[in-house]
Amino acid sequence: MPPGALHHRVTAALTTGQLDEAEELLADVGSGSSPYVAAAPHDPPSDGAADLGRAWADTLRAELLVRRLRQAGFTLVGDPVGSAPDTDPADPLDLHAGVAELIDGRPAGTGDGSASHAALAIALVRSAKASFDATEDELQRAAGLARHARIELLSRRIDAAMDEAVEAASLLDPALPPSALLVQTLTTLAGVLADLELLPLALDYQRRAHETAVAAAALDATGDHPDGDPDVLVARAASCLGELCAELGEALLDEGDPDAAAPHFAEARALAEQALALLPPESAGAVVAAQVVHGWALVGAGEHASAVGPLRAAVRAAGAGDPALQAAALLALGRALRRQADGDGADEHLVRALATAGEHGLPRVRRAALRELCTLHAERDDAGRALPYLQAYLADELDRVDERRTRWVELFGRRKSLLETERVAGQLRRQVYEDTLTHLPNRRYAEARLDGLLDGGGTIALAVVDVDRFKEVNDAIGHAGGDEVLRRVAEVLVAGCRDTDEVCRWAGDEFVVLLPDTTAEQAEPALERCRRAVASTDWAGLGLPAPVTISAGIASATVGDDRRTLFSAADGVLYDAKRSGRDRVVRLSAVTQTRAAGPPAAAAGAAVTDGSPGDDTVPAGSPGPAAGAPRVPAVQPTPLDDPAGETGGFAPLLVEPADPPLGLGSPAEPALAPLPAVGASDLPAAPAGRAPAGPDVIWGTGRSTEQVLALVRTARREFPDRAAVVVRAAAETLVALAGEHDAYTTVDAASMSAAVGPLPEPAGRVAVVCGTGGDLAVAAEAAFAARVTGTGVVRVDDVGGSRFRAGSLDGVVPEDVDCLVVVAGLDAALGGLLGVLTDVPVVAVPTSTGQPGAFGGFGALLTMLSSTAPGVVVSTIDNGHAAGVFAARVARRTRRRGMAPPGLS
């Protein structure tokens, strides 16, 4: 993968100003292959490597052309770099003529062909940038951007260089693995930042380059380095870091703060000594660079005499092969001689450093040399010699001020554009996520926020709040008055919640409150405060004859809940509050997500608060109804509720002696006992069109939401006095049912079931006993089926057989239940065990939850069927609904006959 050995050779030639050599190296590089990968003859590079190869080749050619343009006195875009004060400024290059020359196929020369140089360089830069942008290798892209930033600096395009440097820095993730390419990219970027006068940032990136070089050497990840020696890579990075440390120390000295400068010179000295210890003698250029840094550090530390000798040797070794290195050595030696009071020697070397820096475009060295020359001649009281250098230095400073001013104007424009964009984005966010009437977050925001909270995995409570009889409010004071009521209710809700809670308008007169890190029990007092505050607000000023009230339902998220199921649970208990008489708060237990015994009007298991004393937190399972809770009138009696007191169905089999079995195996077989006389009046009548014995059941499995809604409408139309029960429906279906049938819908998220229509008055009590946690869904289905069939339900979850080994059910199962539903998969013997310990009828439900060898529940089914315990019936696998309906019928018939529930041993 590029860059490789040829890349480093061309780079070295460009850096040292040997442009003809660089051009010769690039002459044989074709446009269709990579010059940086030493591919085997029969192993051509991939398309990605070839594209990167062309991008690097275009980059190097562009830099070569830019350096030739600079020698000719022009920038990349054809503007003159500068003219001597006594000469007329040069005219800019005609880039259109240059493009025409390239189209006509005329070669780009070095004289009159400078326009074609500029046009070709611009085309190469664009081509290379496109290739780098297309690569998925972020390090390669960052390396190319850093190199292009250096090209822009050579062209005096400061803003463009800044843009390239910022983008390159954004791609250099700290998690990138150490490599020689990463070290070189960081070093190039540090040099660009230093030239942009961002020395602290440059120091940070060069320090990271040094650390990366050390890590790469330790991992032997320097295979793409031209020297092939990890020590050389570390030494070069250390020398570059030392140079920046010394430069920063020199700047602090110029500002008159030697104490702050001393640590930087000390670090530069240590880094140079480290580099000199690592470098082999054959790495002459790297050795000279380290010697220059070391001498500079000695000068900054005040050891001038110790620095002069090594710096003279460095100047002789540098020669003219590397102009940048030679200029740095001359500057360091001149600085040492000036501080040693050798004015003539300092003047000679500083003048040479200034000339070299000006010729080869080294702005930082040029400014430092001008400053040193000004100081030198000022110390010698030679104003005539100091004045030209001072003028040149001030002119250079003015150019820098102009550049800074231009940069600040650009920065101001970008910041202004960014703020305008943020403002527009904020307005769009408000339009998307804000309710225009109440200025609360809207439903779209609430759904997104609720999804985020659920994904976070914390404890979340959701309250659904509805304004009671809002249609009557609109009828009384008009829609404008109704809007004001909604605004005031929103204000009360916000005032009654914590800063971390979020109140959102859901739809119409319905609000939701999101309460992070809160259970339903903890959220209940807050919603109760809001309820009382709304009821106590002075509404007479709006022309309302009666106070406005609200009802609220609260549910907590459990494992596996999504937004729809949590909302369905909270919405379900909201309608329990509506059916209970409104102006109250109902919560769903945050522990089991089931409703314990409570007021008959509210669904069993919901804690109801209506402002009466002592009802703020009703524990699940507490006996007796809450004070003040109105009861829903009894609906039409079911066929199981015989008003004449006659028993039928299964009740005689459970509580009365049964007739002896007749044993008629076939019509020809004689009876084993006299047949009982049965008159016509004793036969149950079956009139046409008779209503079903229980709620109509609609299975949601395999049906779409539209199909389920259509079946529910048909069932409600045929039997309006009975509920239609939907079992095992999708969450979307439950939400759609609640939305279409409003207050007539009872939703249970745990069992994924819903009942649409009036429910019978509860009679009797059923206990649903659940084995392991994997059986909870079937147990929830059985509990919901029993409740909508018309009986009270109590849940006993996570019960193992070991809890009954003592031979007693005390403290585990309530004593006043009329039937037990035992749901078990892994502990399938639980049903038989309970049948031995009690004379209460037991309905055992085998589940498919169990060991891998349970054969999808058949193992549990066989275990239950082979139980020798009397009084146990077995349902089909995973059929919690059938078990719940059967148990509810037994419980209702037992209580209708006025019998006390069987005892538990």
Side-chain angles (χ1 to χ4, degrees):
M1 183 65 68
L6 183 56
H7 167 88
H8 296 294
R9 291 175 60 190
V10 175
T11 298
L14 292 173
T15 303
T16 58
Q18 300 171 10
L19 304 186
D20 293 336
E21 180 182 347
E23 190 167 6
E24 290 178 4
L25 291 171
L26 288 171
D28 297 330
V29 177
S31 61
S33 61
S34 170
Y36 313 106
V37 178
H42 302 290
D43 186 19
S46 64
D47 291 341
D51 290 341
L52 284 174
R54 284 190 292 272
W56 280 112
D58 291 343
T59 299
L60 294 176
R61 288 192 178 95
E63 183 172 344
L64 172 62
L65 292 171
V66 168
R67 289 183 181 274
R68 290 201 181 279
L69 283 168
R70 188 175 182 86
Q71 284 183 342
F74 297 97
T75 66
L76 174 64
V77 293
D79 295 330
V81 174
S83 303
D86 55 347
T87 60
D88 294 332
D91 295 328
L93 298 177
D94 186 354
L95 296 183
H96 295 288
V99 172
E101 292 177 9
L102 294 175
I103 293 175
D104 294 340
R106 283 177 279 173
T110 58
D112 295 338
S114 294
S116 60
H117 276 161
L120 179 58
I122 292 174
L124 290 173
V125 166
R126 290 176 177 172
S127 172
K129 285 183 178 179
S131 297
F132 283 125
D133 288 341
T135 182
E136 296 181 358
D137 190 332
E138 292 192 349
L139 179 56
Q140 288 281 345
R141 186 180 174 196
L145 288 168
R147 192 60 177 261
H148 280 271
R150 189 161 73 178
I151 294 175
E152 299 291 0
L153 275 179
L154 289 172
S155 303
R156 304 286 293 273
R157 288 159 47 89
I158 305 300
D159 293 340
M162 179 71 79
D163 291 340
E164 302 284 0
V166 169
E167 189 173 357
S170 69
L171 295 172
L172 293 174
D173 192 286
L176 287 173
S179 65
L181 180 58
L182 179 57
V183 174
Q184 295 154 13
T185 303
L186 290 167
T187 300
T188 302
L189 181 59
V192 170
L193 293 172
D195 287 339
L196 289 170
E197 302 181 38
L198 302 173
L199 198 56
L201 274 178
L203 198 61
D204 290 341
Y205 277 95
Q206 188 58 51
R207 197 179 302 281
R208 181 182 168 190
H210 180 246
E211 294 170 354
T212 304
V214 173
L219 297 174
D220 196 19
T222 60
D224 53 348
H225 191 265
D227 296 310
D229 189 344
D231 290 341
V232 175
L233 182 68
V234 175
R236 289 181 184 275
S239 295
C240 292
L241 179 59
E243 181 182 0
L244 291 177
C245 289
E247 188 171 350
L248 182 57
E250 198 66 45
L252 292 171
L253 278 182
D254 292 340
E255 294 173 2
D257 193 353
D259 293 336
H264 297 289
F265 284 120
E267 184 179 4
R269 181 175 182 174
L271 289 166
E273 291 173 352
Q274 176 192 5
L276 290 171
L278 291 173
L279 287 169
E282 57 270 18
S283 298
V287 171
V288 173
Q291 288 175 341
V292 171
V293 174
H294 188 257
W296 192 356
L298 291 176
V299 173
E303 302 179 22
H304 310 132
S306 302
V308 169
L311 287 174
R312 288 188 187 276
V315 169
R316 289 192 300 269
D322 189 341
L325 184 57
Q326 184 187 33
L330 288 168
L331 175 62
L333 179 56
R335 187 181 283 124
L337 292 173
R338 180 184 69 80
R339 294 177 186 177
Q340 246 188 340
D342 183 357
D344 293 337
D347 182 65
E348 176 190 354
H349 291 90
L350 289 173
V351 169
R352 289 175 60 192
L354 178 61
T356 304
E359 181 183 355
H360 295 281
L362 305 171
R364 288 154 56 201
V365 177
R366 181 175 182 274
R367 283 194 297 270
L370 285 171
R371 186 182 182 93
E372 289 291 335
L373 285 166
C374 290
T375 306
L376 170 65
H377 293 295
E379 291 173 347
R380 302 177 72 179
D381 295 327
D382 189 351
R385 293 285 305 279
L387 185 58
Y389 296 123
L390 178 60
Q391 289 175 336
Y393 181 78
L394 292 177
D396 191 75
E397 284 296 314
L398 288 175
D399 289 342
R400 295 169 64 196
V401 169
D402 289 340
E403 290 176 358
R404 291 194 190 101
R405 185 181 295 112
T406 303
R407 202 176 305 164
W408 278 109
V409 170
E410 178 72 16
L411 181 61
F412 177 84
R414 292 181 183 179
R415 181 60 178 164
K416 179 174 177 291
S417 176
L418 178 61
L419 290 176
E420 290 174 351
T421 302
E422 290 178 350
R423 185 160 46 250
V424 172
Q427 293 172 352
L428 291 176
R429 280 193 298 270
R430 283 192 295 273
Q431 291 176 7
V432 172
Y433 290 123
E434 185 179 280
D435 174 56
T436 56
L437 175 64
T438 62
H439 299 293
L440 292 176
N442 60 14
R443 176 172 179 168
R444 184 180 289 107
Y445 173 86
E447 290 177 342
R449 178 64 175 147
L450 191 54
D451 285 337
L453 291 173
L454 290 170
D455 292 341
T459 304
I460 306 153
L462 175 68
V464 181
V465 181
D466 189 80
V467 180
D468 295 329
R469 299 184 175 89
F470 186 67
K471 184 178 183 302
E472 298 177 8
V473 172
N474 276 334
D475 293 342
I477 59 177
H479 288 284
D483 291 344
E484 181 60 27
V485 169
L486 292 177
R487 279 191 287 265
R488 293 193 184 183
V489 169
E491 293 172 358
V492 172
L493 291 175
V494 172
C497 295
R498 304 169 299 180
D499 292 340
T500 55
D501 302 332
E502 296 182 85
V503 181
C504 308
R505 187 183 179 195
W506 190 257
D509 60 334
E510 198 167 57
F511 301 84
V512 295
V513 184
L514 312 179
L515 301 102
D517 302 318
T518 307
T519 64
E521 286 79 358
Q522 294 169 335
E524 185 179 12
L527 270 298
E528 177 59 26
R529 285 194 302 271
C530 294
R531 184 198 66 79
R532 288 195 295 263
V534 170
S536 61
T537 299
D538 182 13
W539 299 101
L542 295 179
L544 288 171
V548 173
T549 60
I550 60 172
S551 299
I554 312 171
S556 293
T558 58
V559 177
D561 273 351
D562 60 11
R563 164 171 43 91
R564 296 177 179 85
T565 56
L566 179 58
F567 179 83
S568 297
D571 204 40
V573 289
L574 166 65
Y575 288 112
D576 289 343
K578 291 284 190 180
R579 284 190 294 268
S580 300
R582 300 180 175 85
D583 190 20
R584 63 195 61 224
V585 176
V586 181
R587 63 166 170 81
L588 196 62
S589 170
V591 178
T592 62
Q593 284 289 50
T594 56
R595 300 174 174 88
V608 182
T609 60
D610 59 359
S612 58
D615 69 349
D616 194 41
T617 54
V618 179
S622 59
R631 297 172 63 87
V632 176
V635 298
Q636 177 181 347
T638 69
L640 297 179
D641 304 330
D642 189 351
E646 296 295 333
T647 60
F650 288 99
L653 300 178
L654 297 173
V655 298
E656 292 182 352
D659 291 328
L662 302 181
L664 297 177
S666 68
E669 182 180 348
L672 301 179
L675 292 175
V678 180
S681 60
D682 297 323
L683 295 176
R690 179 181 178 181
D696 197 8
V697 181
I698 300 167
W699 292 86
T701 306
R703 288 191 172 107
S704 66
T705 299
E706 291 73 17
Q707 290 173 329
V708 171
L709 291 175
L711 291 172
V712 169
R713 295 187 200 105
T714 301
R716 295 287 296 131
R717 185 168 55 251
E718 293 180 358
F719 306 106
D721 58 340
R722 296 186 178 279
V725 178
V726 179
V727 182
R728 300 184 187 179
E732 295 83 356
T733 303
L734 297 179
V735 173
L737 285 170
E740 178 171 321
H741 297 278
D742 199 37
Y744 292 99
T745 306
T746 301
V747 178
D748 189 284
S751 64
M752 302 303 291
S753 303
V756 180
L759 302 181
E761 184 79 11
R765 200 175 187 198
V766 171
V768 179
V769 180
C770 179
T772 61
D775 303 323
L776 289 174
V778 179
E781 182 178 283
F784 182 77
R787 181 163 67 88
V788 300
T789 305
T791 186
V793 180
V794 60
R795 289 282 300 276
V796 184
D797 294 337
D798 294 328
V799 174
S802 59
R803 296 180 60 178
F804 309 116
R805 300 305 182 193
S808 173
L809 299 182
D810 293 343
V812 180
V813 179
E815 295 183 357
D816 59 344
V817 297
D818 303 290
C819 188
L820 290 177
V821 177
V822 181
V823 181
L826 186 61
D827 196 0
L830 185 60
L833 177 61
L834 291 179
V836 172
L837 297 178
T838 178
D839 59 354
V840 175
V842 176
V843 184
V845 185
T847 71
S848 54
T849 302
Q851 297 176 349
F855 302 105
F858 283 101
L861 177 62
L862 293 175
T863 300
M864 291 180 176
L865 290 175
S866 61
S867 172
T868 57
V872 179
V873 296
V874 181
S875 174
T876 53
I877 298 171
D878 291 337
N879 196 345
H881 178 79
V885 171
F886 182 85
R889 291 181 178 179
V890 171
R892 287 179 63 83
R893 183 56 59 91
T894 300
R895 293 301 175 96
R896 282 297 179 186
R897 290 180 56 84
M899 298 180 59
L904 298 173
S905 59

